[in-house]
Amino acid sequence: MNDQDVRTLEKLAVGVAREAAELALAVRDRVVGDGSVADLPTKSSATDVVTAGDQECEALIRERLGALRPDDVVLGEEGGADAEPAAGQVRWVVDPIDGTVNYAHGLPWFAVSIGAEVDGRALAGAVVEPVSGRVWSAAAGHGAQLDGRTLRASALTRPGVAVVATGLNYDPDRRARQAALVSRIAGRIGDVRRQGCASLDLCSVAAGWVDAYYEHGLHHWDWAAGALIAEEAGAVVRRPSVTDADGLGLEAVLAAGPGIAAELAELLRSLGASGL
Ligand code: IPD
Ligand code: CA
């Protein structure tokens, strides 16, 4: 795929994500109503809620991608994989609403995330925040932007003062192990953030708003677009891996400014990240 093609995929991802973001906002009041989330249906655990917003946004995204790019395949949080991609085929990886718990509780920190990849390699991505209207995007080899402004990850070189974002899993046992790691690392870095939206955590790394982000147990759609955006902004990005050769845990995603990435990875390893 040539340069022009990856830019075209980026533009398309932005356009479709923008449209879905408008829909997410339009249906939010009906979906979250009085702010009570106790009656919403759940998926993997009692706190893993799914709203009509998630479902309607994914349906819209699938419809638009299907019309614009009928030869591609889609993997989405709500609808799963429509087909395995063939060699060289574009696969769209879609999180219709990342940060569903925030969305359902009325917090503004959620996003539509759409990534495009070929043969497992990220080529383009868009993350759009419905509430602020912020548009984050990247195309492989062309850098990352926030509303047209080029992004640069943190240049910090001292992990001891780094602000590090993380996330916690829906599975309560895993969440407790993750919280234990947070308690071990908290005194060794500058501060910790848990914002509740993995794609925006990765975008925050791209912008240098946080110096790093790590989380274990994300799904592909949580990181597909954001990891490319962070990487294109100059962050060092570690995606889930098939081996644990680096001792970070098979399912670890780590994105960090280049000046702290190696030391932070070593710190996470030494504090037991592979056990998460
Ligand atoms: C979740 C969010 C959260 C992260 C979880 C994800 P969802 O995605 O990104 O920040 O900690 O691991 O599953 O369920 O809101 O799409
Ligand atoms: Ca998600």
Side-chain angles (χ1 to χ4, degrees):
M1 189 157 284
N2 65 34
D3 280 2
Q4 206 186 338
D5 292 339
V6 296
R7 298 306 296 268
T8 304
L9 293 179
E10 178 188 13
K11 278 202 192 95
L12 199 149
V14 166
V16 175
R18 269 197 158 123
E19 218 188 319
E22 274 172 32
L23 177 64
L25 266 196
V27 302
R28 187 173 58 163
D29 290 345
R30 168 168 62 80
V31 166
V32 295
D34 59 1
S36 156
V37 295
D39 297 333
L40 289 171
T42 56
K43 295 188 287 187
S44 64
S45 82
T47 50
D48 185 4
V49 292
V50 59
T51 72
D54 300 83
Q55 287 159 342
E56 289 179 30
C57 287
E58 183 158 326
L60 174 80
I61 294 166
R62 282 179 183 270
E63 190 189 306
R64 293 294 186 267
L65 292 176
L68 293 162
R69 307 260 321 174
D71 296 334
D72 301 348
V73 294
V74 177
L75 167 69
E77 170 155 20
E78 309 307 330
D82 51 12
E84 278 309 304
Q89 190 177 24
V90 172
R91 170 154 84 161
W92 295 93
V93 185
V94 174
D95 196 339
I97 297 182
D98 185 29
T100 299
V101 172
N102 288 349
Y103 178 73
H105 280 264
L107 289 159
W109 195 242
F110 59 91
V112 178
S113 171
I114 302 180
E117 56 183 40
V118 170
D119 301 330
R121 199 170 79 81
L123 294 183
V127 174
V128 176
E129 293 175 66
V131 174
S132 68
R134 278 190 286 254
V135 175
W136 308 79
S137 71
H142 291 272
Q145 287 88 36
L146 164 59
D147 296 330
R149 183 172 59 81
T150 299
L151 294 169
R152 238 24 250 160
S154 165
L156 189 76
T157 54
R158 293 163 55 209
V161 296
V163 174
V164 179
T166 190
L168 303 169
N169 204 261
Y170 287 118
D171 173 66
D173 293 333
R174 190 172 206 179
R175 197 185 318 142
R177 291 196 299 277
Q178 290 174 315
L181 177 61
V182 170
S183 80
R184 293 195 292 276
I185 203 171
R188 312 279 295 271
I189 56 177
D191 207 342
V192 178
R193 292 289 180 274
R194 194 292 194 249
Q195 306 177 113
C197 180
S199 57
L200 290 178
D201 286 320
L202 287 159
C203 289
S204 300
V205 172
W209 292 353
V210 296
D211 301 298
Y213 161 69
Y214 76 91
E215 181 166 349
H216 291 75
L218 290 173
H219 294 285
H220 195 157
W221 44 78
D222 298 317
W223 54 261
L228 180 68
I229 293 168
E231 203 162 54
E232 285 293 323
V236 176
V237 176
R238 193 268 197 194
R239 296 172 172 83
S241 165
V242 289
T243 73
D244 191 20
D246 61 6
L248 288 176
L250 293 177
E251 297 184 44
V253 169
L254 170 63
I260 58 166
E263 269 186 84
L264 189 62
E266 179 50 38
L267 184 59
L268 283 163
R269 190 179 304 123
S270 71
L271 295 176
S274 76
L276 294 186

PDB file of all heavy atoms in Angstrom, residues 181-218:
ATOM      1  N   LEU A 181      -0.087  -3.948  41.405  1.00  0.00           N
ATOM      2  CA  LEU A 181       1.073  -3.435  40.664  1.00  0.00           C
ATOM      3  C   LEU A 181       1.098  -1.904  40.714  1.00  0.00           C
ATOM      4  O   LEU A 181       2.165  -1.297  40.883  1.00  0.00           O
ATOM      5  CB  LEU A 181       1.061  -3.934  39.210  1.00  0.00           C
ATOM      6  CG  LEU A 181       2.186  -3.400  38.316  1.00  0.00           C
ATOM      7  CD1 LEU A 181       3.568  -3.805  38.842  1.00  0.00           C
ATOM      8  CD2 LEU A 181       2.033  -3.869  36.869  1.00  0.00           C
ATOM      9  N   VAL A 182      -0.079  -1.292  40.601  1.00  0.00           N
ATOM     10  CA  VAL A 182      -0.141   0.175  40.706  1.00  0.00           C
ATOM     11  C   VAL A 182       0.419   0.613  42.059  1.00  0.00           C
ATOM     12  O   VAL A 182       1.201   1.558  42.152  1.00  0.00           O
ATOM     13  CB  VAL A 182      -1.593   0.697  40.528  1.00  0.00           C
ATOM     14  CG1 VAL A 182      -1.682   2.172  40.889  1.00  0.00           C
ATOM     15  CG2 VAL A 182      -2.076   0.476  39.099  1.00  0.00           C
ATOM     16  N   SER A 183       0.054  -0.116  43.100  1.00  0.00           N
ATOM     17  CA  SER A 183       0.538   0.296  44.426  1.00  0.00           C
ATOM     18  C   SER A 183       2.053   0.118  44.539  1.00  0.00           C
ATOM     19  O   SER A 183       2.726   0.882  45.224  1.00  0.00           O
ATOM     20  CB  SER A 183      -0.208  -0.449  45.542  1.00  0.00           C
ATOM     21  OG  SER A 183       0.320  -1.735  45.696  1.00  0.00           O
ATOM     22  N   ARG A 184       2.610  -0.878  43.809  1.00  0.00           N
ATOM     23  CA  ARG A 184       4.066  -1.065  43.863  1.00  0.00           C
ATOM     24  C   ARG A 184       4.802  -0.003  43.041  1.00  0.00           C
ATOM     25  O   ARG A 184       5.877   0.440  43.411  1.00  0.00           O
ATOM     26  CB  ARG A 184       4.446  -2.469  43.352  1.00  0.00           C
ATOM     27  CG  ARG A 184       3.964  -3.601  44.256  1.00  0.00           C
ATOM     28  CD  ARG A 184       4.661  -4.927  43.931  1.00  0.00           C
ATOM     29  NE  ARG A 184       4.320  -5.494  42.640  1.00  0.00           N
ATOM     30  CZ  ARG A 184       3.257  -6.244  42.389  1.00  0.00           C
ATOM     31  NH1 ARG A 184       2.392  -6.525  43.355  1.00  0.00           N
ATOM     32  NH2 ARG A 184       3.041  -6.738  41.174  1.00  0.00           N
ATOM     33  N   ILE A 185       4.188   0.404  41.933  1.00  0.00           N
ATOM     34  CA  ILE A 185       4.905   1.346  41.050  1.00  0.00           C
ATOM     35  C   ILE A 185       4.701   2.800  41.478  1.00  0.00           C
ATOM     36  O   ILE A 185       5.510   3.675  41.165  1.00  0.00           O
ATOM     37  CB  ILE A 185       4.492   1.133  39.563  1.00  0.00           C
ATOM     38  CG1 ILE A 185       5.591   1.654  38.628  1.00  0.00           C
ATOM     39  CG2 ILE A 185       3.153   1.801  39.236  1.00  0.00           C
ATOM     40  CD1 ILE A 185       5.399   1.296  37.168  1.00  0.00           C
ATOM     41  N   ALA A 186       3.610   3.051  42.217  1.00  0.00           N
ATOM     42  CA  ALA A 186       3.216   4.442  42.502  1.00  0.00           C
ATOM     43  C   ALA A 186       4.340   5.255  43.150  1.00  0.00           C
ATOM     44  O   ALA A 186       4.525   6.430  42.820  1.00  0.00           O
ATOM     45  CB  ALA A 186       1.964   4.473  43.367  1.00  0.00           C
ATOM     46  N   GLY A 187       5.092   4.641  44.037  1.00  0.00           N
ATOM     47  CA  GLY A 187       6.151   5.368  44.733  1.00  0.00           C
ATOM     48  C   GLY A 187       7.432   5.492  43.933  1.00  0.00           C
ATOM     49  O   GLY A 187       8.388   6.158  44.366  1.00  0.00           O
ATOM     50  N   ARG A 188       7.466   4.867  42.752  1.00  0.00           N
ATOM     51  CA  ARG A 188       8.691   4.860  41.945  1.00  0.00           C
ATOM     52  C   ARG A 188       8.602   5.790  40.738  1.00  0.00           C
ATOM     53  O   ARG A 188       9.559   5.921  39.979  1.00  0.00           O
ATOM     54  CB  ARG A 188       8.976   3.426  41.453  1.00  0.00           C
ATOM     55  CG  ARG A 188       8.885   2.347  42.544  1.00  0.00           C
ATOM     56  CD  ARG A 188      10.148   2.292  43.373  1.00  0.00           C
ATOM     57  NE  ARG A 188      11.273   1.874  42.576  1.00  0.00           N
ATOM     58  CZ  ARG A 188      11.649   0.591  42.401  1.00  0.00           C
ATOM     59  NH1 ARG A 188      10.972  -0.370  42.995  1.00  0.00           N
ATOM     60  NH2 ARG A 188      12.706   0.306  41.664  1.00  0.00           N
ATOM     61  N   ILE A 189       7.410   6.387  40.535  1.00  0.00           N
ATOM     62  CA  ILE A 189       7.216   7.297  39.393  1.00  0.00           C
ATOM     63  C   ILE A 189       6.622   8.608  39.914  1.00  0.00           C
ATOM     64  O   ILE A 189       6.427   8.773  41.128  1.00  0.00           O
ATOM     65  CB  ILE A 189       6.285   6.655  38.331  1.00  0.00           C
ATOM     66  CG1 ILE A 189       4.942   6.261  38.973  1.00  0.00           C
ATOM     67  CG2 ILE A 189       6.947   5.459  37.678  1.00  0.00           C
ATOM     68  CD1 ILE A 189       3.931   5.693  38.002  1.00  0.00           C
ATOM     69  N   GLY A 190       6.305   9.517  39.004  1.00  0.00           N
ATOM     70  CA  GLY A 190       5.811  10.820  39.434  1.00  0.00           C
ATOM     71  C   GLY A 190       4.370  10.805  39.904  1.00  0.00           C
ATOM     72  O   GLY A 190       4.029  11.378  40.946  1.00  0.00           O
ATOM     73  N   ASP A 191       3.487  10.138  39.123  1.00  0.00           N
ATOM     74  CA  ASP A 191       2.074  10.067  39.498  1.00  0.00           C
ATOM     75  C   ASP A 191       1.387   9.053  38.589  1.00  0.00           C
ATOM     76  O   ASP A 191       1.962   8.622  37.584  1.00  0.00           O
ATOM     77  CB  ASP A 191       1.413  11.445  39.365  1.00  0.00           C
ATOM     78  CG  ASP A 191       0.220  11.605  40.321  1.00  0.00           C
ATOM     79  OD1 ASP A 191      -0.298  10.578  40.809  1.00  0.00           O
ATOM     80  OD2 ASP A 191      -0.189  12.751  40.557  1.00  0.00           O
ATOM     81  N   VAL A 192       0.155   8.708  38.963  1.00  0.00           N
ATOM     82  CA  VAL A 192      -0.606   7.690  38.228  1.00  0.00           C
ATOM     83  C   VAL A 192      -1.937   8.299  37.785  1.00  0.00           C
ATOM     84  O   VAL A 192      -2.540   9.072  38.524  1.00  0.00           O
ATOM     85  CB  VAL A 192      -0.897   6.466  39.144  1.00  0.00           C
ATOM     86  CG1 VAL A 192      -1.720   5.418  38.413  1.00  0.00           C
ATOM     87  CG2 VAL A 192       0.396   5.864  39.671  1.00  0.00           C
ATOM     88  N   ARG A 193      -2.415   7.927  36.588  1.00  0.00           N
ATOM     89  CA  ARG A 193      -3.746   8.325  36.108  1.00  0.00           C
ATOM     90  C   ARG A 193      -4.520   7.086  35.659  1.00  0.00           C
ATOM     91  O   ARG A 193      -3.941   6.196  35.022  1.00  0.00           O
ATOM     92  CB  ARG A 193      -3.637   9.281  34.908  1.00  0.00           C
ATOM     93  CG  ARG A 193      -3.072  10.644  35.261  1.00  0.00           C
ATOM     94  CD  ARG A 193      -4.065  11.465  36.092  1.00  0.00           C
ATOM     95  NE  ARG A 193      -3.552  12.775  36.446  1.00  0.00           N
ATOM     96  CZ  ARG A 193      -2.793  13.032  37.516  1.00  0.00           C
ATOM     97  NH1 ARG A 193      -2.430  12.043  38.330  1.00  0.00           N
ATOM     98  NH2 ARG A 193      -2.374  14.261  37.774  1.00  0.00           N
ATOM     99  N   ARG A 194      -5.834   7.045  35.957  1.00  0.00           N
ATOM    100  CA  ARG A 194      -6.702   5.986  35.428  1.00  0.00           C
ATOM    101  C   ARG A 194      -7.930   6.722  34.872  1.00  0.00           C
ATOM    102  O   ARG A 194      -8.811   7.146  35.606  1.00  0.00           O
ATOM    103  CB  ARG A 194      -7.105   5.012  36.547  1.00  0.00           C
ATOM    104  CG  ARG A 194      -7.730   3.705  36.068  1.00  0.00           C
ATOM    105  CD  ARG A 194      -9.090   3.826  35.439  1.00  0.00           C
ATOM    106  NE  ARG A 194      -9.736   2.531  35.323  1.00  0.00           N
ATOM    107  CZ  ARG A 194      -9.984   1.891  34.181  1.00  0.00           C
ATOM    108  NH1 ARG A 194      -9.657   2.433  33.031  1.00  0.00           N
ATOM    109  NH2 ARG A 194     -10.593   0.715  34.199  1.00  0.00           N
ATOM    110  N   GLN A 195      -7.907   6.876  33.531  1.00  0.00           N
ATOM    111  CA  GLN A 195      -8.912   7.732  32.909  1.00  0.00           C
ATOM    112  C   GLN A 195     -10.113   6.965  32.377  1.00  0.00           C
ATOM    113  O   GLN A 195     -11.161   7.538  32.120  1.00  0.00           O
ATOM    114  CB  GLN A 195      -8.253   8.554  31.800  1.00  0.00           C
ATOM    115  CG  GLN A 195      -7.038   9.298  32.361  1.00  0.00           C
ATOM    116  CD  GLN A 195      -6.251  10.095  31.358  1.00  0.00           C
ATOM    117  OE1 GLN A 195      -6.232  11.305  31.427  1.00  0.00           O
ATOM    118  NE2 GLN A 195      -5.587   9.447  30.429  1.00  0.00           N
ATOM    119  N   GLY A 196      -9.952   5.649  32.130  1.00  0.00           N
ATOM    120  CA  GLY A 196     -11.097   4.826  31.737  1.00  0.00           C
ATOM    121  C   GLY A 196     -11.350   4.751  30.255  1.00  0.00           C
ATOM    122  O   GLY A 196     -12.457   4.384  29.840  1.00  0.00           O
ATOM    123  N   CYS A 197     -10.349   5.039  29.447  1.00  0.00           N
ATOM    124  CA  CYS A 197     -10.527   4.973  27.987  1.00  0.00           C
ATOM    125  C   CYS A 197      -9.150   4.737  27.363  1.00  0.00           C
ATOM    126  O   CYS A 197      -8.352   5.670  27.230  1.00  0.00           O
ATOM    127  CB  CYS A 197     -11.156   6.268  27.487  1.00  0.00           C
ATOM    128  SG  CYS A 197     -11.428   6.278  25.700  1.00  0.00           S
ATOM    129  N   ALA A 198      -8.885   3.478  27.002  1.00  0.00           N
ATOM    130  CA  ALA A 198      -7.536   3.106  26.561  1.00  0.00           C
ATOM    131  C   ALA A 198      -7.088   3.884  25.326  1.00  0.00           C
ATOM    132  O   ALA A 198      -5.936   4.309  25.230  1.00  0.00           O
ATOM    133  CB  ALA A 198      -7.501   1.604  26.272  1.00  0.00           C
ATOM    134  N   SER A 199      -7.997   4.066  24.375  1.00  0.00           N
ATOM    135  CA  SER A 199      -7.602   4.769  23.137  1.00  0.00           C
ATOM    136  C   SER A 199      -7.161   6.194  23.464  1.00  0.00           C
ATOM    137  O   SER A 199      -6.184   6.706  22.894  1.00  0.00           O
ATOM    138  CB  SER A 199      -8.744   4.772  22.127  1.00  0.00           C
ATOM    139  OG  SER A 199      -9.894   5.373  22.688  1.00  0.00           O
ATOM    140  N   LEU A 200      -7.868   6.842  24.396  1.00  0.00           N
ATOM    141  CA  LEU A 200      -7.481   8.209  24.763  1.00  0.00           C
ATOM    142  C   LEU A 200      -6.246   8.232  25.656  1.00  0.00           C
ATOM    143  O   LEU A 200      -5.488   9.205  25.648  1.00  0.00           O
ATOM    144  CB  LEU A 200      -8.652   8.937  25.419  1.00  0.00           C
ATOM    145  CG  LEU A 200      -9.790   9.275  24.447  1.00  0.00           C
ATOM    146  CD1 LEU A 200     -10.943   9.947  25.181  1.00  0.00           C
ATOM    147  CD2 LEU A 200      -9.309  10.162  23.307  1.00  0.00           C
ATOM    148  N   ASP A 201      -6.019   7.171  26.411  1.00  0.00           N
ATOM    149  CA  ASP A 201      -4.756   7.075  27.153  1.00  0.00           C
ATOM    150  C   ASP A 201      -3.587   7.080  26.164  1.00  0.00           C
ATOM    151  O   ASP A 201      -2.576   7.758  26.369  1.00  0.00           O
ATOM    152  CB  ASP A 201      -4.711   5.789  27.980  1.00  0.00           C
ATOM    153  CG  ASP A 201      -5.610   5.843  29.210  1.00  0.00           C
ATOM    154  OD1 ASP A 201      -5.668   6.899  29.862  1.00  0.00           O
ATOM    155  OD2 ASP A 201      -6.255   4.824  29.520  1.00  0.00           O
ATOM    156  N   LEU A 202      -3.746   6.307  25.086  1.00  0.00           N
ATOM    157  CA  LEU A 202      -2.674   6.250  24.081  1.00  0.00           C
ATOM    158  C   LEU A 202      -2.524   7.587  23.358  1.00  0.00           C
ATOM    159  O   LEU A 202      -1.402   8.038  23.084  1.00  0.00           O
ATOM    160  CB  LEU A 202      -2.965   5.111  23.091  1.00  0.00           C
ATOM    161  CG  LEU A 202      -2.739   3.719  23.696  1.00  0.00           C
ATOM    162  CD1 LEU A 202      -3.495   2.638  22.921  1.00  0.00           C
ATOM    163  CD2 LEU A 202      -1.257   3.375  23.751  1.00  0.00           C
ATOM    164  N   CYS A 203      -3.649   8.233  23.079  1.00  0.00           N
ATOM    165  CA  CYS A 203      -3.571   9.578  22.468  1.00  0.00           C
ATOM    166  C   CYS A 203      -2.911  10.561  23.435  1.00  0.00           C
ATOM    167  O   CYS A 203      -2.164  11.459  23.011  1.00  0.00           O
ATOM    168  CB  CYS A 203      -4.972  10.074  22.088  1.00  0.00           C
ATOM    169  SG  CYS A 203      -5.699   9.191  20.693  1.00  0.00           S
ATOM    170  N   SER A 204      -3.170  10.402  24.713  1.00  0.00           N
ATOM    171  CA  SER A 204      -2.546  11.284  25.715  1.00  0.00           C
ATOM    172  C   SER A 204      -1.034  11.113  25.729  1.00  0.00           C
ATOM    173  O   SER A 204      -0.295  12.080  25.964  1.00  0.00           O
ATOM    174  CB  SER A 204      -3.104  10.994  27.112  1.00  0.00           C
ATOM    175  OG  SER A 204      -4.490  11.206  27.144  1.00  0.00           O
ATOM    176  N   VAL A 205      -0.578   9.882  25.474  1.00  0.00           N
ATOM    177  CA  VAL A 205       0.872   9.667  25.342  1.00  0.00           C
ATOM    178  C   VAL A 205       1.372  10.400  24.098  1.00  0.00           C
ATOM    179  O   VAL A 205       2.415  11.064  24.119  1.00  0.00           O
ATOM    180  CB  VAL A 205       1.204   8.154  25.255  1.00  0.00           C
ATOM    181  CG1 VAL A 205       2.688   7.946  24.928  1.00  0.00           C
ATOM    182  CG2 VAL A 205       0.844   7.443  26.551  1.00  0.00           C
ATOM    183  N   ALA A 206       0.598  10.300  23.015  1.00  0.00           N
ATOM    184  CA  ALA A 206       1.012  10.962  21.763  1.00  0.00           C
ATOM    185  C   ALA A 206       1.176  12.465  21.971  1.00  0.00           C
ATOM    186  O   ALA A 206       2.074  13.092  21.418  1.00  0.00           O
ATOM    187  CB  ALA A 206      -0.023  10.685  20.667  1.00  0.00           C
ATOM    188  N   ALA A 207       0.280  13.049  22.790  1.00  0.00           N
ATOM    189  CA  ALA A 207       0.304  14.502  22.998  1.00  0.00           C
ATOM    190  C   ALA A 207       1.310  14.921  24.058  1.00  0.00           C
ATOM    191  O   ALA A 207       1.539  16.115  24.254  1.00  0.00           O
ATOM    192  CB  ALA A 207      -1.092  14.969  23.409  1.00  0.00           C
ATOM    193  N   GLY A 208       1.882  13.933  24.784  1.00  0.00           N
ATOM    194  CA  GLY A 208       2.759  14.274  25.906  1.00  0.00           C
ATOM    195  C   GLY A 208       1.971  14.721  27.129  1.00  0.00           C
ATOM    196  O   GLY A 208       2.545  15.241  28.087  1.00  0.00           O
ATOM    197  N   TRP A 209       0.637  14.515  27.123  1.00  0.00           N
ATOM    198  CA  TRP A 209      -0.164  14.869  28.303  1.00  0.00           C
ATOM    199  C   TRP A 209       0.169  13.945  29.462  1.00  0.00           C
ATOM    200  O   TRP A 209       0.076  14.330  30.620  1.00  0.00           O
ATOM    201  CB  TRP A 209      -1.659  14.758  27.981  1.00  0.00           C
ATOM    202  CG  TRP A 209      -2.167  15.776  27.013  1.00  0.00           C
ATOM    203  CD1 TRP A 209      -1.482  16.841  26.516  1.00  0.00           C
ATOM    204  CD2 TRP A 209      -3.473  15.825  26.429  1.00  0.00           C
ATOM    205  NE1 TRP A 209      -2.284  17.553  25.664  1.00  0.00           N
ATOM    206  CE2 TRP A 209      -3.508  16.964  25.587  1.00  0.00           C
ATOM    207  CE3 TRP A 209      -4.615  15.032  26.530  1.00  0.00           C
ATOM    208  CZ2 TRP A 209      -4.644  17.312  24.852  1.00  0.00           C
ATOM    209  CZ3 TRP A 209      -5.745  15.388  25.806  1.00  0.00           C
ATOM    210  CH2 TRP A 209      -5.758  16.516  24.978  1.00  0.00           C
ATOM    211  N   VAL A 210       0.457  12.699  29.133  1.00  0.00           N
ATOM    212  CA  VAL A 210       1.062  11.794  30.115  1.00  0.00           C
ATOM    213  C   VAL A 210       2.363  11.288  29.492  1.00  0.00           C
ATOM    214  O   VAL A 210       2.522  11.310  28.264  1.00  0.00           O
ATOM    215  CB  VAL A 210       0.134  10.597  30.490  1.00  0.00           C
ATOM    216  CG1 VAL A 210      -1.137  11.079  31.167  1.00  0.00           C
ATOM    217  CG2 VAL A 210      -0.187   9.730  29.277  1.00  0.00           C
ATOM    218  N   ASP A 211       3.288  10.867  30.330  1.00  0.00           N
ATOM    219  CA  ASP A 211       4.581  10.427  29.820  1.00  0.00           C
ATOM    220  C   ASP A 211       4.551   8.980  29.342  1.00  0.00           C
ATOM    221  O   ASP A 211       5.391   8.579  28.529  1.00  0.00           O
ATOM    222  CB  ASP A 211       5.646  10.605  30.916  1.00  0.00           C
ATOM    223  CG  ASP A 211       5.740  12.062  31.359  1.00  0.00           C
ATOM    224  OD1 ASP A 211       6.074  12.907  30.507  1.00  0.00           O
ATOM    225  OD2 ASP A 211       5.407  12.360  32.536  1.00  0.00           O
ATOM    226  N   ALA A 212       3.599   8.208  29.869  1.00  0.00           N
ATOM    227  CA  ALA A 212       3.526   6.803  29.481  1.00  0.00           C
ATOM    228  C   ALA A 212       2.166   6.238  29.859  1.00  0.00           C
ATOM    229  O   ALA A 212       1.407   6.834  30.639  1.00  0.00           O
ATOM    230  CB  ALA A 212       4.628   5.999  30.171  1.00  0.00           C
ATOM    231  N   TYR A 213       1.878   5.060  29.327  1.00  0.00           N
ATOM    232  CA  TYR A 213       0.632   4.340  29.617  1.00  0.00           C
ATOM    233  C   TYR A 213       0.932   2.860  29.512  1.00  0.00           C
ATOM    234  O   TYR A 213       1.639   2.421  28.596  1.00  0.00           O
ATOM    235  CB  TYR A 213      -0.440   4.734  28.600  1.00  0.00           C
ATOM    236  CG  TYR A 213      -1.606   3.770  28.499  1.00  0.00           C
ATOM    237  CD1 TYR A 213      -2.525   3.636  29.534  1.00  0.00           C
ATOM    238  CD2 TYR A 213      -1.794   2.979  27.356  1.00  0.00           C
ATOM    239  CE1 TYR A 213      -3.598   2.751  29.440  1.00  0.00           C
ATOM    240  CE2 TYR A 213      -2.867   2.106  27.248  1.00  0.00           C
ATOM    241  CZ  TYR A 213      -3.755   2.003  28.295  1.00  0.00           C
ATOM    242  OH  TYR A 213      -4.815   1.129  28.201  1.00  0.00           O
ATOM    243  N   TYR A 214       0.418   2.078  30.422  1.00  0.00           N
ATOM    244  CA  TYR A 214       0.504   0.626  30.273  1.00  0.00           C
ATOM    245  C   TYR A 214      -0.799   0.010  30.751  1.00  0.00           C
ATOM    246  O   TYR A 214      -1.506   0.564  31.598  1.00  0.00           O
ATOM    247  CB  TYR A 214       1.694   0.043  31.068  1.00  0.00           C
ATOM    248  CG  TYR A 214       1.433  -0.022  32.565  1.00  0.00           C
ATOM    249  CD1 TYR A 214       0.870  -1.162  33.136  1.00  0.00           C
ATOM    250  CD2 TYR A 214       1.703   1.070  33.376  1.00  0.00           C
ATOM    251  CE1 TYR A 214       0.606  -1.214  34.494  1.00  0.00           C
ATOM    252  CE2 TYR A 214       1.433   1.027  34.743  1.00  0.00           C
ATOM    253  CZ  TYR A 214       0.879  -0.122  35.297  1.00  0.00           C
ATOM    254  OH  TYR A 214       0.603  -0.155  36.629  1.00  0.00           O
ATOM    255  N   GLU A 215      -1.135  -1.128  30.182  1.00  0.00           N
ATOM    256  CA  GLU A 215      -2.312  -1.873  30.643  1.00  0.00           C
ATOM    257  C   GLU A 215      -2.196  -3.305  30.144  1.00  0.00           C
ATOM    258  O   GLU A 215      -1.711  -3.558  29.047  1.00  0.00           O
ATOM    259  CB  GLU A 215      -3.613  -1.229  30.137  1.00  0.00           C
ATOM    260  CG  GLU A 215      -4.855  -1.981  30.643  1.00  0.00           C
ATOM    261  CD  GLU A 215      -6.172  -1.220  30.472  1.00  0.00           C
ATOM    262  OE1 GLU A 215      -6.145  -0.012  30.155  1.00  0.00           O
ATOM    263  OE2 GLU A 215      -7.230  -1.862  30.680  1.00  0.00           O
ATOM    264  N   HIS A 216      -2.685  -4.239  30.961  1.00  0.00           N
ATOM    265  CA  HIS A 216      -2.712  -5.650  30.570  1.00  0.00           C
ATOM    266  C   HIS A 216      -4.158  -6.066  30.284  1.00  0.00           C
ATOM    267  O   HIS A 216      -5.067  -5.692  31.023  1.00  0.00           O
ATOM    268  CB  HIS A 216      -2.163  -6.533  31.690  1.00  0.00           C
ATOM    269  CG  HIS A 216      -0.696  -6.368  31.913  1.00  0.00           C
ATOM    270  ND1 HIS A 216      -0.158  -5.270  32.549  1.00  0.00           N
ATOM    271  CD2 HIS A 216       0.354  -7.154  31.559  1.00  0.00           C
ATOM    272  CE1 HIS A 216       1.152  -5.387  32.582  1.00  0.00           C
ATOM    273  NE2 HIS A 216       1.494  -6.513  31.995  1.00  0.00           N
ATOM    274  N   GLY A 217      -4.330  -6.859  29.227  1.00  0.00           N
ATOM    275  CA  GLY A 217      -5.643  -7.465  28.984  1.00  0.00           C
ATOM    276  C   GLY A 217      -6.565  -6.646  28.107  1.00  0.00           C
ATOM    277  O   GLY A 217      -7.769  -6.896  28.081  1.00  0.00           O
ATOM    278  N   LEU A 218      -6.016  -5.691  27.383  1.00  0.00           N
ATOM    279  CA  LEU A 218      -6.851  -4.934  26.439  1.00  0.00           C
ATOM    280  C   LEU A 218      -7.270  -5.835  25.280  1.00  0.00           C
ATOM    281  O   LEU A 218      -6.593  -6.801  24.942  1.00  0.00           O
ATOM    282  CB  LEU A 218      -6.063  -3.756  25.862  1.00  0.00           C
ATOM    283  CG  LEU A 218      -5.744  -2.603  26.804  1.00  0.00           C
ATOM    284  CD1 LEU A 218      -4.821  -1.610  26.099  1.00  0.00           C
ATOM    285  CD2 LEU A 218      -7.007  -1.908  27.284  1.00  0.00           C
TER     286      LEU A 218
END
